Amino acid sequence: MIEEGSKSSKSMVEKRQLFMEMRAQNFDVIRLSTYRTACKLRFVQKRCNLHLVDVWNMIEAFRDNGLSTLDHNAEINVSRLETILSSIFYQLNKRLPTTHQINVDQSIGLLLNFIVATYDSEGHGKLTVFAMKAMLATMCGGKILDKLRYIFSQISDSNGVMVFAKFDQFLREVLKLPTAVFEGPSFGYTEHSVRTCFPQQKKILLNTFLDVLMADPPPQCLVWLPLMHRLANVENVFHPVECSYCRSESMMGFRYRCQQCHGYQLCQSCFWRGHASGPHSNQHQMKEHSSWKSPAKKLSHAISKSLGCMPMGEPPHPVFPEAAERPQDLAHTTTLESPSRLDEEHRLIARYAARLAAEASNSTQCPPTDLSFNFDANKQQRQLIAELENKNREILQEIQRLRLEHEQASQPTPEKAQQNPTLLAELRLLRHRKDELERRMSALQESRRELMVQLEGLMRLLKDEEQKQAVQTGTSPHSSPSHSASCTMPMPIRSTSAGSTPTHTPQDCLAGVGDDVLDAFSQGVPRNLRNDLLVAADSITNTMSSLVKELHSVDDGLEDEECNMRNGREKVSSLKHSGKRHSTPSF
């Protein structure tokens, strides 16, 4: 008993969750009932994720769940309704990216409880097919024009004329939505609702129906419907204007300009709550703006309008043919016993569509006079499309052929490799010669580096010995440079004992050094050792220059051979591109 009581209380909380969240939004502070009702229904639409389902997706869901074959007055139970809602939201998640997936179970629970509370307040557990269609088609996302066209298809006869009894039934069902959000006193159903929409009973076709419901203003009982769609369109619209009451430097959503007070503008929050300041009054006429235009754009628009460069007013909707297409009545084809026979329904619908297509092809033999021009135009368009498809197919085949030729020409085959063996042998020889010269050049560079290191060490040693000799004799280090020959010197850097203590004989210290250096220190007065070492370095540099020139000549030979091979590849590529240019048409 305790568990049953807890489950019952939990179910009641879930049923009232949406209404409690709506009350928390404090929509009742909005002064005008029209805006209050539109805001509440927009909240329900977004909270149940119905704004993500387009009206065409909703129509497809009706067809997939077998509702197209059921009579409008047929009743479905809550479990069947839950199955339909599950298919709608699971298909929605398949269309959405993975980063924008919705909570399907939560959306189903919220929407199911709202529909049951709206259309089954007495708790019978059933509702009619027409009520469910009217509610979902009204509360889903999409353009209001598409919604009204679908609704007209449900309330018109086979001749495309509105049936007043069905329109009255539609108003009875759709006006339960404002009642569900506690706005019944303002927009509840009355017996005179139909006459307020169409005061004179006459033949109502699709264009007349759209003219009345999309007029400005629309019928009083449905004035909240287009406003709900305008709310959805201006939620992210920015107006760089300061509100005259709250002094906010920018506005989001609607912007309202007073027609009597110059420059007086209100944001939607202040206008909805009835705020006013200064000479402005709530009784003044306000104009609603859903977008922002700069003063320069307004001036150009006014000039164009005054000069007749643009029409004075645009129609609220496109004009549709008066002879509307007859709705497909699939009720006589089958009667589904359960939702599990959806595959059979699809097959029957496909068979019936094929039958209709066959009848249409037979009826084109004697077309009506008023449709002959459209039929000829459609036939010419189909012929043009067929010609373009054939031409496109030929172009694709030519591109594929050129691509294959290019791939065959670029692939290295044994036959191509054996076309000129002499040339290949010369290329291999030149590459070998180039590698050898590079190795010699590297060795000479290493030798030059070591020689320069030795030269630097010797020069530093000579300078130190001159200073020592000057200290011993008491003379300037520059006065007797010849005494530096009698000093002791360490081993050169190339010696393995470079860090050891030097000996007292110059000949022993110069072991491993060139003959020029030995001759310089073997004499009593050494010759200019710096010049001799520089001469040796210059000879090495000249040798390296000759090697570099020879290496460059080898590189030039390699480049000539590679250039010849590259020219061959460019010829193949140019043949490909020229083939594309000749085969590609210009449109």
Side-chain angles (χ1 to χ4, degrees):
M1 294 294 292
I2 297 176
E3 292 181 357
E4 292 180 358
S6 61
K7 290 182 179 179
S8 178
S9 60
K10 183 179 179 181
S11 177
M12 291 297 295
V13 171
E14 291 178 352
K15 289 182 179 181
R16 300 180 61 86
Q17 177 183 355
L18 184 62
F19 296 99
M20 291 188 295
E21 293 179 2
M22 184 179 64
R23 287 185 181 275
Q25 299 295 319
N26 199 19
F27 291 121
D28 291 332
V29 300
I30 300 177
R31 179 172 56 97
L32 301 176
S33 60
T34 304
Y35 287 96
R36 190 168 58 245
T37 304
C39 288
K40 290 181 178 179
L41 293 177
R42 174 63 178 169
F43 172 79
V44 174
Q45 182 190 48
K46 295 180 65 176
R47 188 65 182 85
C48 297
N49 289 315
L50 276 176
H51 67 295
L52 301 176
V53 183
D54 192 80
V55 60
W56 301 111
N57 300 128
M58 193 65 72
I59 296 172
E60 183 181 2
F62 295 159
R63 183 200 64 194
D64 293 342
N65 287 275
L67 301 180
S68 301
T69 60
L70 298 180
D71 186 77
H72 283 175
N73 296 322
E75 293 183 342
I76 58 175
N77 53 25
V78 177
S79 61
R80 177 76 181 278
L81 175 61
E82 186 176 2
T83 302
I84 296 171
L85 298 181
S86 300
S87 66
I88 292 173
F89 286 113
Y90 278 113
Q91 289 297 325
L92 171 63
N93 253 1
K94 292 180 181 179
R95 295 189 298 268
L96 293 176
T98 55
T99 55
H100 294 76
Q101 297 287 301
I102 64 171
N103 190 337
V104 175
D105 295 334
Q106 185 183 33
S107 301
I108 294 172
L110 291 175
L111 184 56
L112 181 64
N113 292 329
F114 179 76
I115 294 176
V116 171
T118 303
Y119 294 97
D120 188 28
S121 57
E122 297 180 358
H124 296 299
K126 294 182 179 181
L127 69 158
T128 63
V129 173
F130 185 74
M132 188 196 64
K133 285 185 177 181
M135 183 271 171
L136 293 178
T138 304
M139 294 295 293
C140 69
K143 299 179 180 180
I144 186 174
L145 176 64
D146 298 332
K147 293 182 180 182
L148 293 177
R149 289 180 61 192
Y150 172 71
I151 291 170
F152 185 82
S153 68
Q154 300 297 306
I155 62 175
S156 59
D157 57 13
S158 58
N159 296 321
V161 180
M162 188 188 76
V163 180
F164 278 86
K166 292 184 178 180
F167 180 67
D168 182 75
Q169 184 182 4
F170 166 73
L171 290 180
R172 190 186 301 271
E173 302 297 344
V174 78
L175 291 181
K176 290 180 181 179
L177 294 172
T179 305
V181 294
F182 314 107
E183 297 296 334
S186 300
F187 300 104
Y189 172 80
T190 62
E191 297 179 356
H192 307 286
S193 298
V194 177
R195 294 305 170 195
T196 59
C197 298
F198 302 98
Q200 299 178 359
Q201 185 175 0
K202 56 184 178 180
K203 183 179 180 181
I204 306 299
L205 300 177
L206 175 60
N207 292 317
T208 307
F209 180 79
L210 297 177
D211 290 338
V212 171
L213 295 188
M214 297 184 66
D216 189 14
Q220 180 60 31
C221 61
L222 295 174
V223 69
W224 52 269
L225 181 58
L227 179 58
M228 185 179 68
H229 290 79
R230 294 204 307 273
L231 279 174
N233 295 330
V234 301
E235 284 181 347
N236 299 319
V237 174
F238 175 78
H239 304 270
V241 182
E242 182 182 11
C243 178
S244 301
Y245 182 85
C246 66
R247 299 301 177 186
S248 176
E249 296 181 356
S250 60
M251 303 180 188
M252 293 294 293
F254 285 121
R255 174 172 55 91
Y256 298 90
R257 176 186 290 272
C258 182
Q259 300 299 297
Q260 299 182 24
C261 303
H262 178 70
Y264 194 90
Q265 301 187 82
L266 292 176
C267 62
Q268 68 176 19
S269 178
C270 294
F271 175 75
W272 289 354
R273 285 160 176 79
H275 296 321
S277 61
H280 178 71
S281 172
N282 290 331
Q283 304 302 322
H284 291 179
Q285 184 180 2
M286 303 290 287
K287 185 176 181 180
E288 179 185 280
H289 295 273
S290 58
S291 62
W292 164 255
K293 292 182 180 179
S294 61
K297 191 172 183 180
K298 291 180 181 178
L299 178 61
S300 62
H301 181 81
I303 293 175
S304 301
K305 190 174 182 180
S306 62
L307 296 177
C309 299
M310 60 182 301
M312 298 298 293
E314 297 181 357
H317 64 85
V319 179
F320 297 96
E322 294 294 342
E325 182 181 358
R326 297 184 58 174
Q328 297 180 4
D329 185 11
L330 306 182
H332 64 280
T333 57
T334 181
T335 301
L336 298 180
E337 297 177 358
S338 64
S340 62
R341 299 182 59 186
L342 292 179
D343 293 338
E344 181 181 356
E345 180 194 11
H346 288 311
R347 288 194 297 269
L348 293 172
I349 292 175
R351 189 185 310 166
Y352 188 78
R355 187 188 307 169
L356 291 177
E359 293 177 359
S361 62
N362 294 331
S363 63
T364 55
Q365 297 177 359
C366 299
T369 56
D370 56 345
L371 299 178
S372 59
F373 177 76
N374 293 333
F375 176 76
D376 294 338
N378 293 335
K379 184 176 181 181
Q380 293 176 1
Q381 291 177 358
R382 287 195 297 270
Q383 292 177 354
L384 180 60
I385 292 173
E387 293 176 359
L388 291 176
E389 289 179 350
N390 293 332
K391 197 169 186 179
N392 185 38
R393 195 178 300 109
E394 294 176 359
I395 292 171
L396 292 176
Q397 292 176 356
E398 183 67 17
I399 292 174
Q400 183 67 19
R401 185 183 62 81
L402 291 174
R403 185 181 291 111
L404 292 175
E405 291 181 358
H406 173 67
E407 292 177 355
Q408 294 176 358
S410 60
Q411 289 179 356
T413 58
E415 292 79 3
K416 292 182 180 180
Q418 297 177 0
Q419 287 179 359
N420 197 347
T422 305
L423 180 61
L424 296 177
E426 291 179 357
L427 287 175
R428 286 194 295 269
L429 182 62
L430 287 173
R431 291 194 181 93
H432 179 71
R433 178 64 174 167
K434 179 182 178 181
D435 296 338
E436 183 180 356
L437 291 176
E438 288 179 350
R439 287 193 298 270
R440 290 178 57 187
M441 184 174 179
S442 300
L444 287 174
Q445 287 177 348
E446 183 66 22
S447 300
R448 182 183 181 186
R449 186 184 64 79
E450 294 177 355
L451 182 61
M452 296 304 294
V453 171
Q454 293 178 16
L455 177 60
E456 183 179 0
L458 290 174
M459 296 302 297
R460 186 168 55 251
L461 182 60
L462 287 175
K463 186 176 180 180
D464 294 340
E465 292 299 327
E466 286 179 358
Q467 293 178 354
K468 291 180 182 179
Q469 186 68 23
V471 172
Q472 292 177 2
T473 59
T475 61
S476 173
H478 299 285
S479 61
S480 58
S482 60
H483 295 283
S484 62
S486 61
C487 67
T488 59
M489 294 186 300
M491 293 297 293
I493 295 177
R494 291 182 60 182
S495 175
T496 57
S497 60
S500 61
T501 304
T503 61
H504 297 282
T505 59
Q507 289 77 8
D508 295 335
C509 296
L510 298 175
V513 184
D515 295 335
D516 292 336
V517 179
L518 291 175
D519 293 341
F521 288 97
S522 63
Q523 301 174 3
V525 180
R527 60 180 180 179
N528 195 346
L529 180 60
R530 180 187 299 175
N531 293 335
D532 294 338
L533 292 175
L534 290 176
V535 169
D538 291 338
S539 63
I540 293 175
T541 303
N542 294 332
T543 305
M544 291 181 63
S545 300
S546 62
L547 288 175
V548 169
K549 291 179 180 179
E550 186 174 358
L551 181 62
H552 287 172
S553 63
V554 174
D555 289 338
D556 293 338
L558 286 173
E559 290 178 357
D560 293 338
E561 297 299 333
E562 292 177 354
C563 184
N564 294 332
M565 298 178 70
R566 187 164 54 252
N567 290 335
R569 290 194 299 267
E570 290 177 354
K571 289 180 180 179
V572 175
S573 178
S574 63
L575 288 175
K576 173 189 173 183
H577 290 299
S578 62
K580 286 185 177 181
R581 287 195 300 270
H582 291 299
S583 60
T584 304
S586 60
F587 295 97

